[in-house]
Amino acid sequence: MNIIIGNDHAGVDIKEAIISFLKEREIDYKNVGSDSNESVDYPDFAHPVASKVDQKEFELGILICGSGNGVAMTANKYANVRAALCWNEEIAALSRKHNNANVLCLPARYISQEKAINIVDEISKNNNGSKFKWADTIEKRKKMWKARWDAWYS
């Protein structure tokens, strides 16, 4: 599995903890997030992660901001991205099993570093691959997005 991770200023500490976890597990990753606690705009980090997952350059994206909502909304603008805001392991597992989530969004101000690592562990071990049982639902979503994009940009 290869993972791309991005964050704004609120997610620096959690990102660093996740990167340590990924290194321990020998999971390939790319960090495109902020390494500073100075205020930055989350879309500057959400777009590169979502774009790379959308283009299938990475299997999984992780985005971290204060509430997790901003990065989730931004990432879900990409047709092949299924971003899920997760604050516990059960939601992470369900987002992967039922929605085939490929971008994990974490609320840095509402979870601990330990909780974030447990969530990443849960979503990374639930790799659906081609056995995803809700594939028809995902295809409906992709068709809806394609129709919207075509309407917006025609």
Side-chain angles (χ1 to χ4, degrees):
M1 171 171 281
N2 63 344
I3 295 175
I4 185 167
I5 185 168
N7 60 284
D8 70 3
H9 56 281
V12 172
D13 294 338
I14 284 181
K15 178 194 66 181
E16 290 173 358
I18 291 169
I19 286 175
S20 292
F21 169 79
L22 296 175
K23 285 178 181 177
E24 287 172 15
R25 295 287 172 101
E26 297 182 351
I27 297 173
D28 291 332
Y29 72 92
K30 181 176 183 178
N31 172 18
V32 296
S34 176
D35 293 321
S36 169
N37 293 319
E38 295 295 318
S39 183
V40 293
D41 296 327
Y42 65 81
D44 295 339
F45 304 97
H47 283 296
V49 169
S51 174
K52 297 294 185 184
V53 172
D54 182 57
Q55 296 166 13
K56 300 184 175 147
E57 293 180 35
F58 288 86
E59 296 170 65
L60 181 66
I62 299 173
L63 287 168
I64 311 159
C65 74
S67 70
N69 282 308
V71 292
M73 288 185 230
T74 302
N76 275 322
K77 301 297 184 203
Y78 290 80
N80 295 313
V81 168
R82 294 168 305 280
L85 173 57
C86 299
W87 55 91
N88 65 40
E89 298 89 341
E90 181 181 10
I91 290 171
L94 290 172
S95 74
R96 193 78 161 145
K97 291 175 185 173
H98 289 233
N99 306 109
N100 202 17
N102 56 7
V103 174
L104 169 64
C105 300
L106 296 172
R109 292 191 176 112
Y110 299 95
I111 61 172
S112 67
Q113 290 179 17
E114 179 182 0
K115 178 63 77 174
I117 290 168
N118 291 341
I119 292 167
V120 170
D121 186 38
E122 185 62 42
I123 204 166
S124 65
K125 71 184 178 187
N126 280 299
N127 189 359
N128 289 310
S130 61
K131 297 179 182 177
F132 176 62
K133 75 177 198 175
W134 299 102
D136 291 343
T137 303
I138 299 303
E139 280 305 309
K140 285 180 186 177
R141 179 185 178 274
K142 284 173 72 174
K143 286 179 184 176
M144 182 272 307
W145 272 114
K146 182 176 179 349
R148 289 181 93 182
W149 279 106
D150 290 347
W152 288 339
Y153 294 105
S154 59

